[in-house]
Amino acid sequence: HQSQAISHTRLAIGAGASVKHVRLAAGEASKQLASAAVTLAERADYEPLQMAANGAVVRAEAAIRFDGPDARCHYTGAMLLRGHSHADFTLVVDHAAPGCESRELVKAVLDGRSRGVFQGKVIVERGAQKTDGKQMANALLLSDDAEFDSKPELEIFADDVVCGHGST
């Protein structure tokens, strides 16, 4: 018996507001598909935590947009997979306002024939000067058949920014 769950979350975080958002996808015989669309106003603070543990198929997408200045988002993703599990985290962070900070950190521990995927894109639009964005993915493979695919992307259209990405 295989279960399926599909969800969509839309958050508009107001000026000066703070939101912590936790999502856990787990279950041996399930398909879990989740998406989130988040906008941050001036000085908003958003801390999402996306976790996947031994789901047959887990796909979590998030689109986060900085609409106001001096906002902050620290995204954390965690994958604990074994057997034939598959987890895919896809994230687009759009810096459309100046002085914002984003951090994306995904960590994975994979065993058996499991597969983890992280696709992360940070966009810094022309008017988003003083952007501070960092992205990192780390994976620990416990078997020769486990696989982790990382696709970090930066699109920078402003010239006064501090941005970087990496994967290990």
Side-chain angles (χ1 to χ4, degrees), residues 95-140:
H95 287 268
C100 295
E101 175 184 286
S102 69
R103 300 285 183 272
E104 298 83 41
L105 175 61
V106 173
K107 294 197 173 204
V109 178
L110 309 168
D111 199 6
R113 299 182 61 84
S114 64
R115 181 174 183 206
V117 178
F118 174 61
Q119 302 175 84
K121 182 181 215 175
V122 175
I123 303 166
V124 181
E125 296 187 20
R126 291 196 199 304
Q129 302 297 345
K130 305 289 186 198
T131 290
D132 183 354
K134 292 182 179 51
Q135 183 181 105
M136 177 59 77
N138 305 119
L140 178 61

mmCIF file of all heavy atoms in Angstrom, residues 95-140:
data_model
loop_
_atom_site.group_PDB
_atom_site.id
_atom_site.type_symbol
_atom_site.label_atom_id
_atom_site.label_comp_id
_atom_site.label_asym_id
_atom_site.label_seq_id
_atom_site.Cartn_x
_atom_site.Cartn_y
_atom_site.Cartn_z
ATOM 1 N N HIS A 95 16.333 37.646 -4.557
ATOM 2 C CA HIS A 95 16.625 38.906 -3.858
ATOM 3 C C HIS A 95 16.186 40.056 -4.764
ATOM 4 O O HIS A 95 16.891 40.423 -5.695
ATOM 5 C CB HIS A 95 18.127 39.017 -3.569
ATOM 6 C CG HIS A 95 18.616 38.115 -2.491
ATOM 7 N ND1 HIS A 95 18.691 38.499 -1.182
ATOM 8 C CD2 HIS A 95 19.037 36.826 -2.530
ATOM 9 C CE1 HIS A 95 19.153 37.503 -0.446
ATOM 10 N NE2 HIS A 95 19.374 36.471 -1.244
ATOM 11 N N ALA A 96 15.004 40.615 -4.471
ATOM 12 C CA ALA A 96 14.477 41.724 -5.268
ATOM 13 C C ALA A 96 14.568 43.049 -4.525
ATOM 14 O O ALA A 96 14.163 44.077 -5.056
ATOM 15 C CB ALA A 96 13.029 41.440 -5.660
ATOM 16 N N ALA A 97 15.109 43.024 -3.301
ATOM 17 C CA ALA A 97 15.217 44.227 -2.476
ATOM 18 C C ALA A 97 16.630 44.305 -1.894
ATOM 19 O O ALA A 97 17.295 43.286 -1.719
ATOM 20 C CB ALA A 97 14.182 44.178 -1.357
ATOM 21 N N PRO A 98 17.091 45.501 -1.563
ATOM 22 C CA PRO A 98 18.465 45.662 -1.062
ATOM 23 C C PRO A 98 18.625 45.253 0.404
ATOM 24 O O PRO A 98 17.682 45.235 1.172
ATOM 25 C CB PRO A 98 18.722 47.158 -1.232
ATOM 26 C CG PRO A 98 17.373 47.796 -1.163
ATOM 27 C CD PRO A 98 16.422 46.801 -1.766
ATOM 28 N N GLY A 99 19.874 44.922 0.748
ATOM 29 C CA GLY A 99 20.260 44.706 2.138
ATOM 30 C C GLY A 99 19.731 43.431 2.772
ATOM 31 O O GLY A 99 19.693 43.330 3.990
ATOM 32 N N CYS A 100 19.359 42.441 1.977
ATOM 33 C CA CYS A 100 18.795 41.206 2.529
ATOM 34 C C CYS A 100 19.867 40.125 2.660
ATOM 35 O O CYS A 100 20.897 40.165 1.995
ATOM 36 C CB CYS A 100 17.657 40.707 1.646
ATOM 37 S SG CYS A 100 16.252 41.845 1.615
ATOM 38 N N GLU A 101 19.584 39.157 3.538
ATOM 39 C CA GLU A 101 20.521 38.068 3.806
ATOM 40 C C GLU A 101 19.816 36.734 3.611
ATOM 41 O O GLU A 101 18.717 36.529 4.120
ATOM 42 C CB GLU A 101 21.009 38.165 5.246
ATOM 43 C CG GLU A 101 21.899 37.006 5.675
ATOM 44 C CD GLU A 101 22.286 37.096 7.132
ATOM 45 O OE1 GLU A 101 23.132 37.937 7.461
ATOM 46 O OE2 GLU A 101 21.724 36.311 7.945
ATOM 47 N N SER A 102 20.468 35.826 2.858
ATOM 48 C CA SER A 102 19.936 34.468 2.727
ATOM 49 C C SER A 102 21.045 33.455 2.968
ATOM 50 O O SER A 102 22.190 33.660 2.582
ATOM 51 C CB SER A 102 19.299 34.251 1.351
ATOM 52 O OG SER A 102 20.275 34.248 0.330
ATOM 53 N N ARG A 103 20.660 32.369 3.615
ATOM 54 C CA ARG A 103 21.544 31.240 3.847
ATOM 55 C C ARG A 103 20.751 29.985 3.498
ATOM 56 O O ARG A 103 19.620 29.831 3.961
ATOM 57 C CB ARG A 103 21.990 31.137 5.309
ATOM 58 C CG ARG A 103 22.760 32.340 5.834
ATOM 59 C CD ARG A 103 24.171 32.346 5.276
ATOM 60 N NE ARG A 103 24.954 33.425 5.807
ATOM 61 C CZ ARG A 103 25.018 34.645 5.287
ATOM 62 N NH1 ARG A 103 24.310 34.959 4.229
ATOM 63 N NH2 ARG A 103 25.785 35.575 5.814
ATOM 64 N N GLU A 104 21.355 29.111 2.700
ATOM 65 C CA GLU A 104 20.748 27.837 2.369
ATOM 66 C C GLU A 104 21.765 26.755 2.713
ATOM 67 O O GLU A 104 22.845 26.736 2.149
ATOM 68 C CB GLU A 104 20.378 27.754 0.880
ATOM 69 C CG GLU A 104 19.349 28.777 0.444
ATOM 70 C CD GLU A 104 19.945 30.131 0.126
ATOM 71 O OE1 GLU A 104 21.010 30.182 -0.502
ATOM 72 O OE2 GLU A 104 19.340 31.147 0.536
ATOM 73 N N LEU A 105 21.391 25.874 3.620
ATOM 74 C CA LEU A 105 22.269 24.792 4.042
ATOM 75 C C LEU A 105 21.492 23.485 3.977
ATOM 76 O O LEU A 105 20.452 23.347 4.618
ATOM 77 C CB LEU A 105 22.776 25.018 5.466
ATOM 78 C CG LEU A 105 23.620 23.883 6.064
ATOM 79 C CD1 LEU A 105 24.893 23.652 5.246
ATOM 80 C CD2 LEU A 105 23.954 24.179 7.515
ATOM 81 N N VAL A 106 21.983 22.535 3.166
ATOM 82 C CA VAL A 106 21.363 21.224 3.057
ATOM 83 C C VAL A 106 22.399 20.176 3.430
ATOM 84 O O VAL A 106 23.521 20.192 2.922
ATOM 85 C CB VAL A 106 20.835 20.967 1.625
ATOM 86 C CG1 VAL A 106 20.339 19.534 1.479
ATOM 87 C CG2 VAL A 106 19.738 21.957 1.285
ATOM 88 N N LYS A 107 22.008 19.272 4.335
ATOM 89 C CA LYS A 107 22.885 18.175 4.745
ATOM 90 C C LYS A 107 22.164 16.868 4.507
ATOM 91 O O LYS A 107 20.962 16.759 4.744
ATOM 92 C CB LYS A 107 23.281 18.317 6.208
ATOM 93 C CG LYS A 107 24.150 19.539 6.447
ATOM 94 C CD LYS A 107 24.867 19.484 7.754
ATOM 95 C CE LYS A 107 25.835 20.655 7.825
ATOM 96 N NZ LYS A 107 26.910 20.426 8.722
ATOM 97 N N ALA A 108 22.921 15.866 4.023
ATOM 98 C CA ALA A 108 22.321 14.576 3.690
ATOM 99 C C ALA A 108 23.197 13.437 4.177
ATOM 100 O O ALA A 108 24.425 13.506 4.081
ATOM 101 C CB ALA A 108 22.127 14.469 2.182
ATOM 102 N N VAL A 109 22.559 12.383 4.681
ATOM 103 C CA VAL A 109 23.221 11.124 5.007
ATOM 104 C C VAL A 109 22.450 10.056 4.236
ATOM 105 O O VAL A 109 21.243 9.882 4.432
ATOM 106 C CB VAL A 109 23.203 10.823 6.519
ATOM 107 C CG1 VAL A 109 23.865 9.480 6.791
ATOM 108 C CG2 VAL A 109 23.900 11.940 7.299
ATOM 109 N N LEU A 110 23.165 9.366 3.327
ATOM 110 C CA LEU A 110 22.525 8.440 2.397
ATOM 111 C C LEU A 110 23.142 7.046 2.504
ATOM 112 O O LEU A 110 24.360 6.916 2.528
ATOM 113 C CB LEU A 110 22.676 8.954 0.964
ATOM 114 C CG LEU A 110 22.257 10.407 0.742
ATOM 115 C CD1 LEU A 110 22.713 10.889 -0.617
ATOM 116 C CD2 LEU A 110 20.770 10.553 0.870
ATOM 117 N N ASP A 111 22.281 6.024 2.532
ATOM 118 C CA ASP A 111 22.742 4.641 2.609
ATOM 119 C C ASP A 111 21.978 3.807 1.589
ATOM 120 O O ASP A 111 20.973 4.255 1.025
ATOM 121 C CB ASP A 111 22.520 4.102 4.028
ATOM 122 C CG ASP A 111 23.370 2.870 4.337
ATOM 123 O OD1 ASP A 111 24.208 2.496 3.487
ATOM 124 O OD2 ASP A 111 23.188 2.280 5.418
ATOM 125 N N GLY A 112 22.432 2.596 1.354
ATOM 126 C CA GLY A 112 21.779 1.697 0.407
ATOM 127 C C GLY A 112 21.861 2.243 -1.006
ATOM 128 O O GLY A 112 22.904 2.715 -1.443
ATOM 129 N N ARG A 113 20.732 2.214 -1.710
ATOM 130 C CA ARG A 113 20.655 2.741 -3.072
ATOM 131 C C ARG A 113 19.879 4.062 -3.092
ATOM 132 O O ARG A 113 19.282 4.429 -4.101
ATOM 133 C CB ARG A 113 20.002 1.729 -4.001
ATOM 134 C CG ARG A 113 20.788 0.412 -4.094
ATOM 135 C CD ARG A 113 20.166 -0.566 -5.060
ATOM 136 N NE ARG A 113 20.122 -0.055 -6.419
ATOM 137 C CZ ARG A 113 21.131 -0.131 -7.295
ATOM 138 N NH1 ARG A 113 22.259 -0.701 -6.943
ATOM 139 N NH2 ARG A 113 20.995 0.342 -8.503
ATOM 140 N N SER A 114 19.860 4.760 -1.974
ATOM 141 C CA SER A 114 19.093 6.002 -1.884
ATOM 142 C C SER A 114 19.738 7.116 -2.706
ATOM 143 O O SER A 114 20.931 7.064 -3.022
ATOM 144 C CB SER A 114 18.943 6.429 -0.429
ATOM 145 O OG SER A 114 20.208 6.734 0.123
ATOM 146 N N ARG A 115 18.923 8.111 -3.029
ATOM 147 C CA ARG A 115 19.408 9.232 -3.833
ATOM 148 C C ARG A 115 18.838 10.533 -3.286
ATOM 149 O O ARG A 115 17.646 10.660 -3.046
ATOM 150 C CB ARG A 115 18.974 9.063 -5.282
ATOM 151 C CG ARG A 115 19.473 10.181 -6.162
ATOM 152 C CD ARG A 115 19.160 9.922 -7.614
ATOM 153 N NE ARG A 115 19.724 10.982 -8.435
ATOM 154 C CZ ARG A 115 19.256 11.332 -9.607
ATOM 155 N NH1 ARG A 115 18.218 10.703 -10.118
ATOM 156 N NH2 ARG A 115 19.814 12.300 -10.292
ATOM 157 N N GLY A 116 19.727 11.508 -3.103
ATOM 158 C CA GLY A 116 19.319 12.839 -2.687
ATOM 159 C C GLY A 116 19.697 13.845 -3.757
ATOM 160 O O GLY A 116 20.727 13.702 -4.420
ATOM 161 N N VAL A 117 18.858 14.855 -3.930
ATOM 162 C CA VAL A 117 19.098 15.902 -4.915
ATOM 163 C C VAL A 117 18.834 17.252 -4.268
ATOM 164 O O VAL A 117 17.820 17.435 -3.585
ATOM 165 C CB VAL A 117 18.156 15.742 -6.140
ATOM 166 C CG1 VAL A 117 18.382 16.867 -7.143
ATOM 167 C CG2 VAL A 117 18.326 14.390 -6.793
ATOM 168 N N PHE A 118 19.746 18.191 -4.470
ATOM 169 C CA PHE A 118 19.507 19.580 -4.058
ATOM 170 C C PHE A 118 19.786 20.485 -5.244
ATOM 171 O O PHE A 118 20.889 20.503 -5.782
ATOM 172 C CB PHE A 118 20.394 19.992 -2.879
ATOM 173 C CG PHE A 118 20.255 21.462 -2.550
ATOM 174 C CD1 PHE A 118 19.031 21.989 -2.172
ATOM 175 C CD2 PHE A 118 21.340 22.307 -2.651
ATOM 176 C CE1 PHE A 118 18.900 23.337 -1.891
ATOM 177 C CE2 PHE A 118 21.214 23.657 -2.367
ATOM 178 C CZ PHE A 118 19.995 24.176 -1.979
ATOM 179 N N GLN A 119 18.751 21.218 -5.656
ATOM 180 C CA GLN A 119 18.878 22.230 -6.696
ATOM 181 C C GLN A 119 18.572 23.559 -6.045
ATOM 182 O O GLN A 119 17.447 23.795 -5.608
ATOM 183 C CB GLN A 119 17.875 21.966 -7.819
ATOM 184 C CG GLN A 119 18.031 20.594 -8.444
ATOM 185 C CD GLN A 119 16.940 20.335 -9.463
ATOM 186 O OE1 GLN A 119 17.065 20.749 -10.602
ATOM 187 N NE2 GLN A 119 15.881 19.665 -9.038
ATOM 188 N N GLY A 120 19.566 24.417 -5.954
ATOM 189 C CA GLY A 120 19.375 25.702 -5.298
ATOM 190 C C GLY A 120 19.807 26.838 -6.196
ATOM 191 O O GLY A 120 20.910 26.821 -6.737
ATOM 192 N N LYS A 121 18.929 27.809 -6.360
ATOM 193 C CA LYS A 121 19.236 28.958 -7.206
ATOM 194 C C LYS A 121 19.022 30.236 -6.404
ATOM 195 O O LYS A 121 17.972 30.419 -5.777
ATOM 196 C CB LYS A 121 18.324 28.962 -8.429
ATOM 197 C CG LYS A 121 18.584 30.096 -9.396
ATOM 198 C CD LYS A 121 17.585 29.997 -10.543
ATOM 199 C CE LYS A 121 18.212 30.427 -11.831
ATOM 200 N NZ LYS A 121 17.298 30.235 -12.969
ATOM 201 N N VAL A 122 20.041 31.101 -6.413
ATOM 202 C CA VAL A 122 19.934 32.405 -5.780
ATOM 203 C C VAL A 122 20.013 33.453 -6.884
ATOM 204 O O VAL A 122 20.960 33.459 -7.673
ATOM 205 C CB VAL A 122 21.058 32.631 -4.745
ATOM 206 C CG1 VAL A 122 21.001 34.043 -4.182
ATOM 207 C CG2 VAL A 122 20.961 31.603 -3.621
ATOM 208 N N ILE A 123 19.003 34.312 -6.940
ATOM 209 C CA ILE A 123 18.952 35.392 -7.921
ATOM 210 C C ILE A 123 19.092 36.701 -7.166
ATOM 211 O O ILE A 123 18.399 36.939 -6.175
ATOM 212 C CB ILE A 123 17.614 35.389 -8.683
ATOM 213 C CG1 ILE A 123 17.393 34.038 -9.372
ATOM 214 C CG2 ILE A 123 17.560 36.537 -9.686
ATOM 215 C CD1 ILE A 123 15.972 33.813 -9.852
ATOM 216 N N VAL A 124 19.999 37.560 -7.633
ATOM 217 C CA VAL A 124 20.150 38.904 -7.070
ATOM 218 C C VAL A 124 19.792 39.878 -8.186
ATOM 219 O O VAL A 124 20.532 40.015 -9.163
ATOM 220 C CB VAL A 124 21.579 39.148 -6.553
ATOM 221 C CG1 VAL A 124 21.685 40.546 -5.964
ATOM 222 C CG2 VAL A 124 21.971 38.098 -5.520
ATOM 223 N N GLU A 125 18.650 40.523 -8.036
ATOM 224 C CA GLU A 125 18.177 41.437 -9.069
ATOM 225 C C GLU A 125 18.961 42.747 -9.045
ATOM 226 O O GLU A 125 19.665 43.060 -8.087
ATOM 227 C CB GLU A 125 16.680 41.672 -8.902
ATOM 228 C CG GLU A 125 15.877 40.390 -9.123
ATOM 229 C CD GLU A 125 14.387 40.607 -9.144
ATOM 230 O OE1 GLU A 125 13.933 41.752 -9.368
ATOM 231 O OE2 GLU A 125 13.661 39.621 -8.943
ATOM 232 N N ARG A 126 18.835 43.528 -10.108
ATOM 233 C CA ARG A 126 19.615 44.760 -10.296
ATOM 234 C C ARG A 126 19.566 45.720 -9.107
ATOM 235 O O ARG A 126 20.562 46.277 -8.726
ATOM 236 C CB ARG A 126 19.157 45.490 -11.554
ATOM 237 C CG ARG A 126 19.509 44.762 -12.812
ATOM 238 C CD ARG A 126 19.419 45.638 -14.043
ATOM 239 N NE ARG A 126 19.321 44.924 -15.299
ATOM 240 C CZ ARG A 126 20.158 44.013 -15.757
ATOM 241 N NH1 ARG A 126 21.164 43.635 -15.029
ATOM 242 N NH2 ARG A 126 19.976 43.443 -16.925
ATOM 243 N N GLY A 127 18.427 45.924 -8.526
ATOM 244 C CA GLY A 127 18.312 46.880 -7.429
ATOM 245 C C GLY A 127 18.645 46.321 -6.061
ATOM 246 O O GLY A 127 18.549 47.023 -5.061
ATOM 247 N N ALA A 128 19.067 45.078 -5.988
ATOM 248 C CA ALA A 128 19.272 44.412 -4.692
ATOM 249 C C ALA A 128 20.719 44.544 -4.209
ATOM 250 O O ALA A 128 21.375 43.550 -3.890
ATOM 251 C CB ALA A 128 18.860 42.953 -4.789
ATOM 252 N N GLN A 129 21.205 45.768 -4.132
ATOM 253 C CA GLN A 129 22.563 46.013 -3.642
ATOM 254 C C GLN A 129 22.668 45.595 -2.175
ATOM 255 O O GLN A 129 21.681 45.509 -1.470
ATOM 256 C CB GLN A 129 22.919 47.497 -3.796
ATOM 257 C CG GLN A 129 22.826 48.018 -5.215
ATOM 258 C CD GLN A 129 23.795 47.346 -6.187
ATOM 259 O OE1 GLN A 129 24.743 46.682 -5.807
ATOM 260 N NE2 GLN A 129 23.529 47.508 -7.482
ATOM 261 N N LYS A 130 23.879 45.329 -1.736
ATOM 262 C CA LYS A 130 24.183 44.918 -0.349
ATOM 263 C C LYS A 130 23.552 43.576 0.013
ATOM 264 O O LYS A 130 23.311 43.286 1.181
ATOM 265 C CB LYS A 130 23.739 45.976 0.663
ATOM 266 C CG LYS A 130 24.295 47.358 0.442
ATOM 267 C CD LYS A 130 25.758 47.418 0.757
ATOM 268 C CE LYS A 130 26.248 48.869 0.651
ATOM 269 N NZ LYS A 130 27.673 48.956 0.537
ATOM 270 N N THR A 131 23.300 42.732 -0.981
ATOM 271 C CA THR A 131 22.795 41.381 -0.725
ATOM 272 C C THR A 131 23.916 40.518 -0.159
ATOM 273 O O THR A 131 25.055 40.604 -0.586
ATOM 274 C CB THR A 131 22.267 40.747 -2.033
ATOM 275 O OG1 THR A 131 21.069 41.418 -2.407
ATOM 276 C CG2 THR A 131 21.996 39.268 -1.878
ATOM 277 N N ASP A 132 23.567 39.673 0.810
ATOM 278 C CA ASP A 132 24.497 38.715 1.401
ATOM 279 C C ASP A 132 23.860 37.334 1.267
ATOM 280 O O ASP A 132 22.902 37.024 1.962
ATOM 281 C CB ASP A 132 24.738 39.077 2.870
ATOM 282 C CG ASP A 132 25.747 38.171 3.552
ATOM 283 O OD1 ASP A 132 26.200 37.180 2.939
ATOM 284 O OD2 ASP A 132 26.060 38.443 4.721
ATOM 285 N N GLY A 133 24.372 36.528 0.339
ATOM 286 C CA GLY A 133 23.780 35.216 0.099
ATOM 287 C C GLY A 133 24.820 34.108 0.085
ATOM 288 O O GLY A 133 25.849 34.231 -0.568
ATOM 289 N N LYS A 134 24.541 33.047 0.809
ATOM 290 C CA LYS A 134 25.446 31.892 0.844
ATOM 291 C C LYS A 134 24.631 30.612 0.748
ATOM 292 O O LYS A 134 23.577 30.492 1.360
ATOM 293 C CB LYS A 134 26.276 31.907 2.114
ATOM 294 C CG LYS A 134 27.275 33.053 2.151
ATOM 295 C CD LYS A 134 28.132 33.030 3.390
ATOM 296 C CE LYS A 134 29.143 34.155 3.403
ATOM 297 N NZ LYS A 134 28.620 35.472 3.164
ATOM 298 N N GLN A 135 25.184 29.646 0.006
ATOM 299 C CA GLN A 135 24.501 28.378 -0.226
ATOM 300 C C GLN A 135 25.516 27.241 -0.099
ATOM 301 O O GLN A 135 26.600 27.318 -0.659
ATOM 302 C CB GLN A 135 23.918 28.418 -1.638
ATOM 303 C CG GLN A 135 23.107 27.233 -2.035
ATOM 304 C CD GLN A 135 22.618 27.401 -3.467
ATOM 305 O OE1 GLN A 135 23.159 26.756 -4.346
ATOM 306 N NE2 GLN A 135 21.643 28.251 -3.695
ATOM 307 N N MET A 136 25.141 26.170 0.638
ATOM 308 C CA MET A 136 26.050 25.040 0.831
ATOM 309 C C MET A 136 25.246 23.747 0.916
ATOM 310 O O MET A 136 24.190 23.704 1.524
ATOM 311 C CB MET A 136 26.857 25.222 2.121
ATOM 312 C CG MET A 136 27.781 24.058 2.443
ATOM 313 S SD MET A 136 29.015 23.688 1.184
ATOM 314 C CE MET A 136 30.199 24.972 1.483
ATOM 315 N N ALA A 137 25.784 22.701 0.283
ATOM 316 C CA ALA A 137 25.203 21.358 0.379
ATOM 317 C C ALA A 137 26.312 20.390 0.778
ATOM 318 O O ALA A 137 27.390 20.400 0.188
ATOM 319 C CB ALA A 137 24.581 20.943 -0.953
ATOM 320 N N ASN A 138 26.058 19.565 1.793
ATOM 321 C CA ASN A 138 27.012 18.566 2.274
ATOM 322 C C ASN A 138 26.325 17.210 2.313
ATOM 323 O O ASN A 138 25.209 17.104 2.815
ATOM 324 C CB ASN A 138 27.501 18.882 3.687
ATOM 325 C CG ASN A 138 28.085 20.268 3.830
ATOM 326 O OD1 ASN A 138 27.575 21.059 4.602
ATOM 327 N ND2 ASN A 138 29.118 20.576 3.098
ATOM 328 N N ALA A 139 27.007 16.183 1.809
ATOM 329 C CA ALA A 139 26.429 14.837 1.829
ATOM 330 C C ALA A 139 27.457 13.833 2.321
ATOM 331 O O ALA A 139 28.640 13.929 2.012
ATOM 332 C CB ALA A 139 25.943 14.450 0.433
ATOM 333 N N LEU A 140 26.975 12.862 3.066
ATOM 334 C CA LEU A 140 27.781 11.745 3.536
ATOM 335 C C LEU A 140 27.170 10.479 2.932
ATOM 336 O O LEU A 140 26.006 10.154 3.202
ATOM 337 C CB LEU A 140 27.760 11.669 5.065
ATOM 338 C CG LEU A 140 28.514 10.515 5.706
ATOM 339 C CD1 LEU A 140 30.000 10.569 5.349
ATOM 340 C CD2 LEU A 140 28.317 10.537 7.217
#
